[in-house]
Amino acid sequence: MSKNVSNDKSDPESANDLISKSIVSLHPIEKRILSILYPLKEKWITDNQLIKESGLSIDQIRRGIEWLKFKNLILIEDKSDVKIYLKNKSTLKNNGFVLPERKLVNCIKKGNNNIADIIKDIEFDNNKEVFAAIKFGKNNNWINVENNSIFLLPESEFLSNEEKLLEKLIKSDSLLLSNLNNSENTSFEILKKRPNILDIKKITNKKYIITNLGISIFDKLSTDTVSDNGKDIERKLAVEHLINDGWRNLKFEQIDVEAPLPLLAYGKKNPLIDFIDEVKEILIGMGFSEIDGNLTQSSFWNFDALFIPQDHSARDMQDTFYLTSAKTLAAPLPDTDILKSVSQIHENNWHYKWNISESKPYVLRTHTTPVTIQYLVKEKPDEDKVFLIGRVFRNEKVSFKHLVEFHQIEGIFTSKNANLRQLIGIQTEFYNKLGIKKIKFWPTFFPYTEPSLQSMVYNDKFDKWIELFGMGIFRPEVTLSLGIKNPVLAWGGGFERLAMLRFDLDDIRELYYNNLSWLKGVPKCLL
């Protein structure tokens, strides 16, 4: 049965009109591709064959194929597959390949069946390999583990399905996933998750065939390609045609001026994302490194570690999103020494009985500081500059200046001699790089910094000073209880407020409206 598309028309005139219009719209690339497919008629031709026989570039082939497909002049068959290789195949061919579970069997056959002795055996590179061998040995029903000793079962004398697939790969250059049977498919899924065994490459095979309409058009095209006087039809007017007046005797190919043009609706980044990228470049240029962390945090890292008392109003359900389950979530409680130190700091300074149960509930982070604090606790740097821009969540009523979910920008600088003057300098340089020149700093209060400042920038549109970022030096009650010795300068605030200044917006919600005219109208670079 033919795979070509039937294009029979009940009305011969309408069929001829369709063919004539199609011929007029054909590009030389399309004609070249049809000239390759036409002689084959019922046979498929591959991508590589078409490139080789046409002499066209891969980009020309792709364009021509899309045009012809749109006009129903060709059919495309697109099949993808996965090619499987062995890593370090040359080494495997010479020395063979032994999976850890087979090494375990060989080790036990030598008389080593105690787990402690097996770990020391030269067969294995490290402890992880031994435990992997035990896991897969049990899966294959090769071994039985009793009281730290391992005994072989009769099944260990036979090759596993994974070993059979590896032997097949060693004998051949590669295997196609489509050619594997069910058992080999299962073995492949197991082996591809194991390190340093398989290499995988996705391949795509495309084939093309001319349709009945394509054949009819090419027949007509072949008849009309030569003019009455025996000369080829010209597509372009050349200089020599004008010089010798030869254009009067030429027959030119028709141009379809009514051919529809595609409606282009290019996608682009949201202006807010573009602005985030710009700010990241500025901070990296100032010597900061970017860090990131989890959106979910325990109450300990979100509140307690930052010297926020357990009866503080910010911890209420009205301000914070609490999660009902802590399963599979990151940021657990720290070790006992840190818990003890933090609890003593709270009790000595806030004068209440600190309760560990208040630190266990998980929340959607209300600020990004728990991420930076955990970074400092983990890395314990003597000197460092890091920043992050990430989403935070507040259980607030949405308004022109408040959102439930928004971005926060935060930066910290720590060194032996870090001081408030340096922090003001960092903030001033950051604002200047954003084009903000009118800046001043007011004293304020934050639970986890002292001294604390509020940066103020002047908004020409509203003719007034507006609050932007908070800043300060982490209190000793925060740093010392967590084992951080050097002073830590910190600053941060809502990124959307900064974006409102950049895009001259009155309402913070406009950043998230689906207003396509605004989204498309914001220029890539603002001068």
Side-chain angles (χ1 to χ4, degrees):
M1 182 178 177
S2 170
K3 294 182 180 180
N4 279 349
V5 174
S6 174
N7 295 289
D8 295 335
K9 302 284 183 180
S10 56
D11 182 0
E13 287 188 10
S14 62
N16 289 332
D17 289 343
L18 177 62
I19 291 172
S20 299
K21 287 182 180 179
S22 297
I23 291 174
V24 167
S25 67
L26 284 179
H27 189 276
I29 291 176
E30 295 174 282
K31 293 177 183 177
R32 181 61 183 152
I33 293 173
L34 287 178
S35 71
I36 303 299
L37 298 175
Y38 178 78
L40 299 174
K41 297 291 189 355
E42 300 294 327
K43 293 183 181 178
W44 293 89
I45 184 171
T46 64
D47 243 339
N48 292 334
Q49 287 176 288
L50 190 55
I51 293 169
K52 183 179 179 181
E53 294 187 28
S54 67
L56 299 172
S57 69
I58 183 66
D59 288 333
Q60 289 175 318
I61 291 289
R62 286 171 180 163
R63 285 199 300 270
I65 288 296
E66 286 302 314
W67 296 336
L68 291 169
K69 176 187 174 185
F70 179 75
K71 297 170 184 175
N72 293 322
L73 303 184
I74 63 167
L75 289 177
I76 303 175
E77 187 178 275
D78 191 348
K79 289 186 177 179
S80 59
D81 209 337
V82 173
K83 213 167 190 177
I84 308 166
Y85 304 86
L86 275 175
K87 287 186 178 178
N88 305 317
K89 186 174 178 181
S90 57
T91 306
L92 298 177
K93 276 192 170 180
N94 296 331
N95 304 323
F97 185 84
V98 183
L99 290 171
E101 54 265 35
R102 182 57 65 186
K103 289 182 183 180
L104 178 62
V105 170
N106 296 338
C107 187
I108 296 171
K109 284 182 177 179
K110 291 189 298 185
N112 293 339
N113 65 344
N114 184 273
I115 293 178
D117 294 334
I118 292 171
I119 290 174
K120 298 175 185 176
D121 197 286
I122 59 172
E123 285 268 1
F124 296 99
D125 298 328
N126 50 56
N127 294 357
K128 287 184 179 179
E129 194 178 16
V130 175
F131 296 127
I134 294 172
K135 172 188 172 182
F136 288 104
K138 290 178 73 175
N139 290 347
N140 294 338
N141 201 29
W142 285 358
I143 60 171
N144 189 28
V145 182
E146 294 180 5
N147 299 325
N148 294 325
S149 295
I150 305 176
F151 303 96
L152 293 180
L153 298 175
E155 289 292 326
S156 63
E157 297 298 323
F158 304 102
L159 291 177
S160 67
N161 290 333
E162 290 82 46
E163 288 177 316
K164 291 176 184 177
L165 180 59
L166 288 174
E167 280 197 346
K168 192 172 180 180
L169 273 169
I170 291 172
K171 292 176 184 176
S172 59
D173 290 331
S174 61
L175 294 174
L176 290 175
L177 182 62
S178 58
N179 292 336
L180 301 185
N181 58 37
N182 290 337
S183 174
E184 290 171 338
N185 256 308
T186 304
S187 301
F188 164 71
E189 291 297 326
I190 294 171
L191 287 173
K192 78 174 184 181
K193 297 175 184 176
R194 300 178 68 172
N196 302 318
I197 297 178
L198 298 181
D199 266 331
I200 301 167
K201 181 180 178 183
K202 188 174 180 179
I203 56 174
T204 302
N205 296 314
K206 286 188 176 181
K207 296 191 297 185
Y208 313 103
I209 193 171
I210 193 169
T211 64
N212 289 337
L213 178 59
I215 291 171
S216 301
I217 286 174
F218 195 80
D219 284 335
K220 177 73 172 167
L221 183 66
S222 302
T223 306
D224 292 347
T225 321
V226 178
S227 62
D228 297 336
N229 57 12
K231 294 182 179 180
D232 289 345
I233 293 177
E234 294 289 345
R235 181 175 177 83
K236 294 181 180 179
L237 182 65
V239 175
E240 53 269 22
H241 298 151
L242 297 173
I243 293 173
N244 58 23
D245 219 24
W247 61 272
R248 297 180 183 279
N249 301 318
L250 293 177
K251 184 175 181 180
F252 288 97
E253 185 176 300
Q254 296 182 53
I255 298 174
D256 185 6
V257 295
E258 295 181 359
L261 291 173
L263 295 174
L264 301 177
Y266 292 115
K268 60 177 288 189
K269 280 186 181 179
N270 186 293
L272 180 63
I273 302 301
D274 270 333
F275 188 38
I276 289 175
D277 291 340
E278 179 187 338
V279 171
K280 285 182 179 181
E281 287 184 19
I282 288 173
L283 289 169
I284 291 170
M286 291 172 62
F288 285 79
S289 301
E290 186 177 7
I291 61 173
D292 199 4
N294 295 301
L295 299 178
T296 58
Q297 298 287 339
S298 63
S299 292
F300 176 86
W301 289 116
N302 200 76
F303 299 116
D304 294 84
L306 298 174
F307 197 51
I308 299 175
Q310 293 186 332
D311 58 356
H312 196 282
S313 58
R315 301 174 71 141
D316 293 342
M317 288 289 288
Q318 296 95 313
D319 296 310
T320 306
F321 289 105
Y322 283 85
L323 304 178
T324 56
S325 172
K327 292 180 180 178
T328 73
L329 298 179
L333 295 179
D335 59 49
T336 307
D337 291 339
I338 290 179
L339 284 174
K340 185 177 179 181
S341 178
V342 170
S343 67
Q344 287 177 349
I345 289 288
H346 275 247
E347 290 179 355
N348 293 339
N349 288 275
W350 295 121
H351 307 295
Y352 71 96
K353 183 65 177 175
W354 189 83
N355 187 351
I356 192 172
S357 63
E358 295 291 331
S359 298
K360 291 180 179 180
Y362 277 72
V363 300
L364 291 176
R365 66 186 186 195
T366 59
H367 49 178
T368 50
T369 312
V371 177
T372 53
I373 278 291
Q374 287 175 81
Y375 172 82
L376 291 170
V377 171
K378 181 181 177 182
E379 301 297 331
K380 293 182 171 59
D382 289 328
E383 185 170 328
D384 206 353
K385 291 197 290 185
V386 299
F387 79 94
L388 79 124
I389 301 174
R391 294 191 179 191
V392 296
F393 307 84
R394 302 276 177 87
N395 195 359
E396 296 181 345
K397 183 178 180 180
V398 176
S399 69
F400 73 96
K401 62 178 181 177
H402 291 107
L403 294 172
V404 171
E405 177 183 350
F406 57 96
H407 291 84
Q408 192 172 59
I409 178 173
E410 177 166 340
I412 58 170
F413 170 64
T414 179
S415 75
K416 185 178 180 181
N417 300 313
N419 56 60
L420 192 63
R421 189 172 183 176
Q422 285 179 309
L423 180 56
I424 292 173
I426 290 171
Q427 279 287 271
T428 302
E429 182 184 359
F430 172 72
Y431 287 135
N432 286 341
K433 287 182 179 293
L434 284 171
I436 300 172
K437 303 299 181 181
K438 296 181 181 179
I439 314 152
K440 61 183 178 181
F441 302 95
W442 283 359
T444 188
F445 169 79
F446 297 113
Y448 45 91
T449 58
E450 180 61 38
S452 302
L453 296 176
Q454 183 80 50
S455 62
M456 311 289 291
V457 300
Y458 190 74
N459 188 322
D460 292 312
K461 182 179 180 180
F462 296 111
D463 191 26
K464 67 177 183 179
W465 292 90
I466 61 171
E467 297 178 4
L468 210 52
F469 292 160
M471 53 192 286
I473 302 177
F474 277 153
R475 300 176 66 115
E477 291 90 345
V478 174
T479 55
L480 294 181
S481 63
L482 297 173
I484 303 165
K485 297 179 181 178
N486 290 336
V488 180
L489 313 180
W491 57 270
F495 192 88
E496 277 79 355
R497 288 199 177 185
L498 192 62
M500 287 175 71
L501 282 177
R502 164 54 65 93
F503 300 122
D504 196 22
L505 299 176
D506 301 330
D507 192 327
I508 197 171
R509 293 168 291 189
E510 291 183 51
L511 291 165
Y512 294 98
Y513 287 155
N514 292 326
N515 185 347
L516 292 181
S517 61
W518 180 79
L519 292 171
K520 291 180 179 180
V522 176
K524 192 76 173 176
C525 299
L526 294 174
L527 300 178

